[in-house]
Short mmCIF file of all heavy atoms in Angstrom, two decimals:
data_model
loop_
_atom_site.label_atom_id
_atom_site.label_comp_id
_atom_site.label_asym_id
_atom_site.label_seq_id
_atom_site.Cartn_x
_atom_site.Cartn_y
_atom_site.Cartn_z
N VAL A 52 -61.76 19.78 -17.77
CA VAL A 52 -61.88 20.85 -18.69
C VAL A 52 -61.20 20.69 -20.02
O VAL A 52 -61.13 21.57 -20.80
CB VAL A 52 -61.46 22.22 -18.04
CG1 VAL A 52 -62.38 22.48 -16.71
CG2 VAL A 52 -59.99 22.19 -17.68
N GLY A 53 -60.59 19.49 -20.14
CA GLY A 53 -59.91 19.25 -21.32
C GLY A 53 -59.10 18.00 -21.18
O GLY A 53 -58.82 17.50 -20.01
N ALA A 54 -58.58 17.48 -22.29
CA ALA A 54 -57.72 16.27 -22.11
C ALA A 54 -56.44 16.55 -21.37
O ALA A 54 -55.91 17.52 -21.46
CB ALA A 54 -57.19 15.73 -23.64
N GLY A 55 -56.29 15.61 -20.46
CA GLY A 55 -55.14 15.67 -19.58
C GLY A 55 -55.37 16.54 -18.30
O GLY A 55 -54.43 16.64 -17.39
N ILE A 56 -56.56 17.11 -18.14
CA ILE A 56 -56.91 18.01 -16.97
C ILE A 56 -58.09 17.51 -16.31
O ILE A 56 -59.17 17.43 -16.90
CB ILE A 56 -57.03 19.55 -17.45
CG1 ILE A 56 -56.01 19.92 -18.32
CG2 ILE A 56 -57.29 20.33 -16.28
CD1 ILE A 56 -56.29 21.24 -19.01
N THR A 57 -57.90 17.06 -14.99
CA THR A 57 -59.13 16.75 -14.21
C THR A 57 -59.05 17.42 -12.78
O THR A 57 -58.01 17.87 -12.37
CB THR A 57 -59.12 15.12 -14.01
OG1 THR A 57 -58.00 14.77 -13.24
CG2 THR A 57 -59.21 14.45 -15.23
N ASP A 58 -60.21 17.52 -12.15
CA ASP A 58 -60.15 18.07 -10.80
C ASP A 58 -61.38 17.37 -10.04
O ASP A 58 -62.29 16.91 -10.61
CB ASP A 58 -60.34 19.54 -10.93
CG ASP A 58 -59.85 20.30 -9.70
OD1 ASP A 58 -59.57 19.64 -8.72
OD2 ASP A 58 -59.71 21.49 -9.81
N GLN A 59 -61.31 17.63 -8.80
CA GLN A 59 -62.30 17.05 -7.92
C GLN A 59 -63.62 17.91 -7.86
O GLN A 59 -63.51 19.19 -7.78
CB GLN A 59 -61.72 16.80 -6.47
CG GLN A 59 -60.54 15.84 -6.46
CD GLN A 59 -59.96 15.68 -5.11
OE1 GLN A 59 -60.34 16.36 -4.22
NE2 GLN A 59 -59.26 14.67 -4.82
N GLY A 60 -64.63 17.22 -7.67
CA GLY A 60 -65.98 18.02 -7.40
C GLY A 60 -66.25 17.91 -5.83
O GLY A 60 -65.36 17.93 -4.97
N GLU A 61 -67.53 17.90 -5.68
CA GLU A 61 -68.06 17.89 -4.24
C GLU A 61 -67.87 16.57 -3.46
O GLU A 61 -67.54 16.56 -2.19
CB GLU A 61 -69.57 18.27 -4.22
CG GLU A 61 -70.20 18.44 -2.89
CD GLU A 61 -71.69 18.53 -3.17
OE1 GLU A 61 -72.16 18.75 -4.23
OE2 GLU A 61 -72.55 18.65 -2.13
N VAL A 62 -67.92 15.43 -4.17
CA VAL A 62 -67.83 14.13 -3.49
C VAL A 62 -66.91 13.15 -4.18
O VAL A 62 -67.25 12.20 -4.76
CB VAL A 62 -69.31 13.50 -3.38
CG1 VAL A 62 -70.10 14.27 -2.29
CG2 VAL A 62 -69.94 13.52 -4.76
N PRO A 63 -65.60 13.52 -4.20
CA PRO A 63 -64.63 12.69 -4.89
C PRO A 63 -64.14 11.44 -4.33
O PRO A 63 -63.57 10.66 -5.09
CB PRO A 63 -63.47 13.77 -5.13
CG PRO A 63 -63.54 14.45 -3.83
CD PRO A 63 -64.98 14.65 -3.53
N ASN A 64 -64.23 11.25 -3.01
CA ASN A 64 -63.66 10.14 -2.36
C ASN A 64 -64.12 8.82 -2.81
O ASN A 64 -65.43 8.53 -2.92
CB ASN A 64 -63.84 10.22 -0.85
CG ASN A 64 -63.08 11.38 -0.28
OD1 ASN A 64 -62.18 11.98 -0.96
ND2 ASN A 64 -63.54 11.90 0.94
N GLY A 65 -63.22 7.90 -3.10
CA GLY A 65 -63.50 6.58 -3.72
C GLY A 65 -63.63 6.42 -5.04
O GLY A 65 -63.88 5.36 -5.58
N TYR A 66 -63.43 7.50 -5.90
CA TYR A 66 -63.48 7.50 -7.31
C TYR A 66 -62.28 8.19 -7.93
O TYR A 66 -61.70 9.08 -7.32
CB TYR A 66 -64.61 8.39 -7.71
CG TYR A 66 -65.97 8.07 -7.13
CD1 TYR A 66 -66.45 8.72 -6.05
CD2 TYR A 66 -66.85 7.02 -7.69
CE1 TYR A 66 -67.72 8.50 -5.41
CE2 TYR A 66 -68.06 6.80 -7.16
CZ TYR A 66 -68.41 7.50 -6.00
OH TYR A 66 -69.71 7.22 -5.45
N ASN A 67 -61.80 7.65 -9.02
CA ASN A 67 -60.74 8.16 -9.79
C ASN A 67 -61.20 8.32 -11.25
O ASN A 67 -62.06 7.67 -11.74
CB ASN A 67 -59.54 7.14 -9.88
CG ASN A 67 -58.69 7.16 -8.62
OD1 ASN A 67 -58.89 8.15 -7.83
ND2 ASN A 67 -57.70 6.34 -8.49
N VAL A 68 -60.59 9.48 -11.84
CA VAL A 68 -60.93 9.61 -13.22
C VAL A 68 -59.59 9.94 -13.93
O VAL A 68 -58.56 10.25 -13.40
CB VAL A 68 -61.86 10.91 -13.46
CG1 VAL A 68 -63.26 10.60 -12.94
CG2 VAL A 68 -61.36 12.15 -12.74
N SER A 69 -59.72 9.95 -15.39
CA SER A 69 -58.54 10.27 -16.23
C SER A 69 -59.26 10.91 -17.50
O SER A 69 -60.36 10.51 -17.71
CB SER A 69 -57.65 9.24 -16.49
OG SER A 69 -58.34 8.03 -17.14
N ARG A 70 -58.49 11.68 -18.26
CA ARG A 70 -59.04 12.13 -19.43
C ARG A 70 -57.92 12.09 -20.60
O ARG A 70 -57.13 13.09 -20.68
CB ARG A 70 -59.53 13.57 -19.32
CG ARG A 70 -60.16 14.23 -20.52
CD ARG A 70 -61.64 14.07 -20.51
NE ARG A 70 -62.30 14.58 -21.67
CZ ARG A 70 -62.70 15.85 -21.74
NH1 ARG A 70 -62.65 16.72 -20.67
NH2 ARG A 70 -63.30 16.30 -22.82
N SER A 71 -57.68 11.02 -21.17
CA SER A 71 -56.63 10.89 -22.07
C SER A 71 -57.01 11.38 -23.44
O SER A 71 -56.14 11.74 -24.27
CB SER A 71 -56.10 9.42 -22.16
OG SER A 71 -57.26 8.50 -22.47
N THR A 72 -58.31 11.34 -23.72
CA THR A 72 -58.73 11.92 -25.01
C THR A 72 -59.92 12.87 -24.75
O THR A 72 -60.51 12.87 -23.64
CB THR A 72 -59.26 10.88 -25.96
OG1 THR A 72 -60.44 10.33 -25.39
CG2 THR A 72 -58.22 9.62 -26.26
N THR A 73 -60.28 13.71 -25.74
CA THR A 73 -61.39 14.59 -25.62
C THR A 73 -62.72 13.92 -25.49
O THR A 73 -63.61 14.30 -24.77
CB THR A 73 -61.52 15.62 -26.85
OG1 THR A 73 -60.25 16.38 -26.90
CG2 THR A 73 -62.67 16.52 -26.71
N GLU A 74 -62.73 12.74 -26.19
CA GLU A 74 -63.94 12.02 -26.35
C GLU A 74 -64.42 11.24 -25.00
O GLU A 74 -65.50 11.05 -24.67
CB GLU A 74 -63.97 11.03 -27.47
CG GLU A 74 -63.93 11.60 -28.84
CD GLU A 74 -62.47 12.13 -29.14
OE1 GLU A 74 -61.51 11.70 -28.54
OE2 GLU A 74 -62.34 13.04 -29.97
N ASP A 75 -63.43 10.77 -24.21
CA ASP A 75 -63.62 9.71 -23.17
C ASP A 75 -63.37 10.26 -21.85
O ASP A 75 -62.24 10.93 -21.61
CB ASP A 75 -62.84 8.50 -23.49
CG ASP A 75 -63.15 7.80 -24.86
OD1 ASP A 75 -64.43 7.41 -24.91
OD2 ASP A 75 -62.37 7.73 -25.69
N PHE A 76 -64.10 9.88 -20.75
CA PHE A 76 -63.98 10.27 -19.56
C PHE A 76 -64.39 9.19 -18.60
O PHE A 76 -65.54 9.22 -18.01
CB PHE A 76 -64.74 11.66 -19.22
CG PHE A 76 -64.34 12.30 -17.97
CD1 PHE A 76 -63.06 12.41 -17.49
CD2 PHE A 76 -65.36 12.86 -17.12
CE1 PHE A 76 -62.77 13.08 -16.30
CE2 PHE A 76 -65.08 13.47 -15.92
CZ PHE A 76 -63.83 13.55 -15.48
N PRO A 77 -63.62 8.09 -18.30
CA PRO A 77 -64.03 6.95 -17.52
C PRO A 77 -64.00 7.39 -16.03
O PRO A 77 -63.14 8.08 -15.66
CB PRO A 77 -63.12 5.93 -17.92
CG PRO A 77 -61.92 6.64 -18.29
CD PRO A 77 -62.39 7.93 -19.08
N LEU A 78 -64.96 6.81 -15.25
CA LEU A 78 -64.91 6.86 -13.80
C LEU A 78 -64.56 5.55 -13.19
O LEU A 78 -65.28 4.49 -13.48
CB LEU A 78 -66.37 7.36 -13.37
CG LEU A 78 -66.50 7.55 -11.78
CD1 LEU A 78 -65.82 8.87 -11.30
CD2 LEU A 78 -67.99 7.64 -11.52
N ARG A 79 -63.62 5.49 -12.35
CA ARG A 79 -63.15 4.16 -11.78
C ARG A 79 -63.57 4.11 -10.21
O ARG A 79 -63.30 5.13 -9.49
CB ARG A 79 -61.68 4.01 -11.94
CG ARG A 79 -61.31 3.98 -13.29
CD ARG A 79 -59.79 3.76 -13.56
NE ARG A 79 -59.34 3.75 -14.88
CZ ARG A 79 -59.03 4.84 -15.57
NH1 ARG A 79 -59.03 6.07 -14.97
NH2 ARG A 79 -58.65 4.80 -16.86
N LEU A 80 -64.23 3.03 -9.92
CA LEU A 80 -64.35 2.69 -8.44
C LEU A 80 -63.33 1.70 -8.13
O LEU A 80 -63.31 0.54 -8.67
CB LEU A 80 -65.70 2.11 -8.29
CG LEU A 80 -66.87 3.19 -8.26
CD1 LEU A 80 -67.10 3.72 -9.65
CD2 LEU A 80 -68.16 2.54 -7.66
N LEU A 81 -62.35 2.02 -7.28
CA LEU A 81 -61.25 1.11 -6.96
C LEU A 81 -61.68 0.08 -6.19
O LEU A 81 -61.12 -1.19 -6.24
CB LEU A 81 -60.02 1.90 -6.40
CG LEU A 81 -59.50 3.00 -7.23
CD1 LEU A 81 -58.38 3.81 -6.71
CD2 LEU A 81 -59.00 2.44 -8.58
N SER A 82 -62.44 0.31 -4.98
CA SER A 82 -62.84 -0.71 -4.15
C SER A 82 -64.34 -0.36 -3.65
O SER A 82 -64.63 0.54 -2.79
CB SER A 82 -61.95 -0.74 -2.92
OG SER A 82 -62.42 -1.73 -1.98
N ALA A 83 -65.33 -0.90 -4.42
CA ALA A 83 -66.72 -0.49 -4.22
C ALA A 83 -67.23 -0.57 -2.71
O ALA A 83 -66.86 -1.65 -2.07
CB ALA A 83 -67.65 -1.24 -5.22
N ALA A 84 -67.96 0.27 -2.34
CA ALA A 84 -68.58 0.34 -1.03
C ALA A 84 -70.14 0.45 -1.20
O ALA A 84 -70.58 1.09 -2.14
CB ALA A 84 -68.08 1.37 -0.14
N PRO A 85 -70.93 -0.09 -0.24
CA PRO A 85 -72.36 0.05 -0.41
C PRO A 85 -72.79 1.58 -0.45
O PRO A 85 -73.85 1.87 -1.06
CB PRO A 85 -72.84 -0.62 0.94
CG PRO A 85 -71.81 -1.56 1.18
CD PRO A 85 -70.48 -0.93 0.82
N SER A 86 -71.93 2.51 0.13
CA SER A 86 -72.21 3.98 0.05
C SER A 86 -72.24 4.49 -1.38
O SER A 86 -72.72 5.65 -1.69
CB SER A 86 -71.43 4.79 1.01
OG SER A 86 -70.06 4.55 0.57
N GLN A 87 -71.59 3.73 -2.30
CA GLN A 87 -71.53 4.10 -3.60
C GLN A 87 -72.66 3.69 -4.50
O GLN A 87 -72.77 3.85 -5.76
CB GLN A 87 -70.18 3.73 -4.23
CG GLN A 87 -69.07 4.40 -3.59
CD GLN A 87 -67.72 3.79 -4.15
OE1 GLN A 87 -67.32 2.74 -4.18
NE2 GLN A 87 -66.82 4.80 -4.52
N THR A 88 -73.66 2.94 -3.76
CA THR A 88 -74.91 2.55 -4.64
C THR A 88 -75.61 3.94 -4.91
O THR A 88 -75.92 4.70 -4.00
CB THR A 88 -75.71 1.77 -3.69
OG1 THR A 88 -75.15 0.51 -3.45
CG2 THR A 88 -77.14 1.57 -4.33
N SER A 89 -75.90 4.15 -6.21
CA SER A 89 -76.39 5.37 -6.74
C SER A 89 -76.60 5.34 -8.27
O SER A 89 -76.41 4.22 -8.85
CB SER A 89 -75.39 6.52 -6.47
OG SER A 89 -75.90 7.75 -6.81
N VAL A 90 -77.10 6.34 -8.74
CA VAL A 90 -77.34 6.37 -10.21
C VAL A 90 -76.25 7.53 -10.60
O VAL A 90 -76.14 8.59 -9.95
CB VAL A 90 -78.77 6.89 -10.66
CG1 VAL A 90 -78.73 7.04 -12.22
CG2 VAL A 90 -79.73 5.93 -10.15
N TYR A 91 -75.50 7.19 -11.56
CA TYR A 91 -74.38 7.96 -12.10
C TYR A 91 -74.59 8.50 -13.33
O TYR A 91 -75.11 7.80 -14.41
CB TYR A 91 -73.06 7.12 -12.10
CG TYR A 91 -72.55 6.72 -10.72
CD1 TYR A 91 -73.00 5.55 -10.08
CD2 TYR A 91 -71.69 7.57 -10.04
CE1 TYR A 91 -72.67 5.25 -8.82
CE2 TYR A 91 -71.22 7.17 -8.78
CZ TYR A 91 -71.76 6.03 -8.21
OH TYR A 91 -71.29 5.62 -6.84
N PHE A 92 -74.42 9.78 -13.53
CA PHE A 92 -74.53 10.55 -14.84
C PHE A 92 -73.26 11.21 -15.25
O PHE A 92 -72.63 11.88 -14.41
CB PHE A 92 -75.66 11.60 -14.69
CG PHE A 92 -77.06 11.06 -14.53
CD1 PHE A 92 -77.68 10.85 -13.35
CD2 PHE A 92 -77.80 10.80 -15.68
CE1 PHE A 92 -78.89 10.33 -13.16
CE2 PHE A 92 -79.13 10.15 -15.53
CZ PHE A 92 -79.70 10.02 -14.33
N CYS A 93 -73.04 11.03 -16.56
CA CYS A 93 -71.97 11.76 -17.17
C CYS A 93 -72.50 12.81 -17.98
O CYS A 93 -73.65 12.83 -18.51
CB CYS A 93 -71.13 10.83 -18.04
SG CYS A 93 -69.79 11.53 -18.97
N ALA A 94 -71.92 14.06 -17.97
CA ALA A 94 -72.41 15.15 -18.86
C ALA A 94 -71.16 15.74 -19.52
O ALA A 94 -70.10 15.68 -19.07
CB ALA A 94 -73.08 16.20 -17.90
N SER A 95 -71.44 16.47 -20.61
CA SER A 95 -70.49 17.28 -21.34
C SER A 95 -71.09 18.55 -21.87
O SER A 95 -72.22 18.77 -22.10
CB SER A 95 -69.91 16.43 -22.49
OG SER A 95 -70.85 16.36 -23.51
N SER A 96 -70.11 19.54 -22.12
CA SER A 96 -70.43 20.75 -22.74
C SER A 96 -69.25 21.42 -23.33
O SER A 96 -68.14 21.02 -23.09
CB SER A 96 -71.21 21.67 -21.60
OG SER A 96 -70.17 22.13 -20.67
N TYR A 97 -69.60 22.48 -24.04
CA TYR A 97 -68.40 23.29 -24.56
C TYR A 97 -67.90 24.05 -23.35
O TYR A 97 -68.58 24.23 -22.30
CB TYR A 97 -68.94 24.35 -25.62
CG TYR A 97 -69.22 23.60 -26.90
CD1 TYR A 97 -70.43 23.53 -27.47
CD2 TYR A 97 -68.11 22.99 -27.72
CE1 TYR A 97 -70.72 22.89 -28.66
CE2 TYR A 97 -68.35 22.30 -28.75
CZ TYR A 97 -69.66 22.23 -29.33
OH TYR A 97 -69.87 21.58 -30.52
N ARG A 98 -66.71 24.58 -23.58
CA ARG A 98 -65.96 25.15 -22.33
C ARG A 98 -66.57 26.37 -21.88
O ARG A 98 -66.51 26.71 -20.74
CB ARG A 98 -64.43 25.34 -22.81
CG ARG A 98 -63.61 25.78 -21.64
CD ARG A 98 -62.19 25.64 -22.09
NE ARG A 98 -61.22 26.28 -21.11
CZ ARG A 98 -59.96 25.89 -20.87
NH1 ARG A 98 -59.49 24.91 -21.64
NH2 ARG A 98 -59.24 26.49 -19.96
N ASP A 99 -67.06 27.23 -22.76
CA ASP A 99 -67.72 28.53 -22.35
C ASP A 99 -68.72 28.26 -21.22
O ASP A 99 -69.54 27.33 -21.31
CB ASP A 99 -68.31 29.22 -23.52
CG ASP A 99 -68.79 30.51 -23.20
OD1 ASP A 99 -70.00 30.62 -22.65
OD2 ASP A 99 -68.09 31.53 -23.52
N SER A 100 -68.83 29.15 -20.20
CA SER A 100 -69.67 28.92 -19.10
C SER A 100 -71.23 29.05 -19.46
O SER A 100 -72.01 28.47 -18.81
CB SER A 100 -69.46 29.89 -18.00
OG SER A 100 -69.74 31.18 -18.52
N LYS A 101 -71.43 29.55 -20.56
CA LYS A 101 -72.88 29.80 -20.95
C LYS A 101 -73.36 28.67 -21.99
O LYS A 101 -73.96 29.12 -22.96
CB LYS A 101 -73.13 31.13 -21.33
CG LYS A 101 -72.83 32.09 -20.18
CD LYS A 101 -73.27 33.50 -20.51
CE LYS A 101 -72.93 34.41 -19.13
NZ LYS A 101 -73.25 35.76 -19.41
N ASN A 102 -73.02 27.50 -21.84
CA ASN A 102 -73.50 26.50 -22.70
C ASN A 102 -74.12 25.47 -21.94
O ASN A 102 -73.75 25.10 -20.84
CB ASN A 102 -72.19 25.84 -23.47
CG ASN A 102 -71.84 26.65 -24.66
OD1 ASN A 102 -72.49 26.62 -25.64
ND2 ASN A 102 -70.74 27.35 -24.46
N ILE A 103 -75.27 24.96 -22.60
CA ILE A 103 -75.97 23.84 -21.85
C ILE A 103 -75.19 22.52 -21.80
O ILE A 103 -74.22 22.35 -22.65
CB ILE A 103 -77.37 23.56 -22.57
CG1 ILE A 103 -77.04 22.97 -24.03
CG2 ILE A 103 -78.19 24.76 -22.74
CD1 ILE A 103 -78.40 22.45 -24.71
N GLN A 104 -75.56 21.80 -20.92
CA GLN A 104 -74.85 20.46 -20.64
C GLN A 104 -75.70 19.42 -21.27
O GLN A 104 -77.03 19.40 -21.19
CB GLN A 104 -74.50 20.28 -19.13
CG GLN A 104 -73.56 21.20 -18.59
CD GLN A 104 -72.84 20.60 -17.36
OE1 GLN A 104 -73.01 19.44 -17.07
NE2 GLN A 104 -72.03 21.41 -16.88
N TYR A 105 -75.03 18.38 -21.83
CA TYR A 105 -75.76 17.20 -22.39
C TYR A 105 -75.37 16.08 -21.52
O TYR A 105 -74.24 15.78 -21.09
CB TYR A 105 -75.09 16.89 -23.83
CG TYR A 105 -75.59 17.97 -24.81
CD1 TYR A 105 -74.78 19.12 -24.96
CD2 TYR A 105 -76.78 17.76 -25.63
CE1 TYR A 105 -75.14 20.15 -25.85
CE2 TYR A 105 -76.99 18.91 -26.51
CZ TYR A 105 -76.25 20.01 -26.58
OH TYR A 105 -76.66 20.90 -27.55
N PHE A 106 -76.41 15.29 -21.14
CA PHE A 106 -76.29 14.20 -20.18
C PHE A 106 -76.47 12.79 -20.70
O PHE A 106 -77.17 12.64 -21.75
CB PHE A 106 -77.36 14.32 -19.06
CG PHE A 106 -77.15 15.36 -18.01
CD1 PHE A 106 -77.56 16.59 -18.39
CD2 PHE A 106 -76.64 15.19 -16.81
CE1 PHE A 106 -77.37 17.73 -17.56
CE2 PHE A 106 -76.41 16.22 -15.86
CZ PHE A 106 -76.80 17.54 -16.24
#
Side-chain angles (χ1 to χ4, degrees):
Chain A
V52 301
I56 307 169
T57 64
D58 205 348
Q59 296 181 348
E61 183 184 354
V62 287
N64 292 340
Y66 307 95
N67 280 353
V68 292
S69 61
R70 183 95 180 268
S71 56
T72 66
T73 299
E74 294 78 20
D75 299 299
F76 190 45
L78 179 71
R79 297 183 185 85
L80 284 70
L81 299 178
S82 179
S86 61
Q87 293 178 304
T88 294
S89 188
V90 181
Y91 292 85
F92 289 95
C93 178
S95 73
S96 71
Y97 288 113
R98 185 167 173 152
D99 186 277
S100 65
K101 297 187 178 181
N102 279 283
I103 65 172
Q104 293 203 6
Y105 295 82
F106 287 81

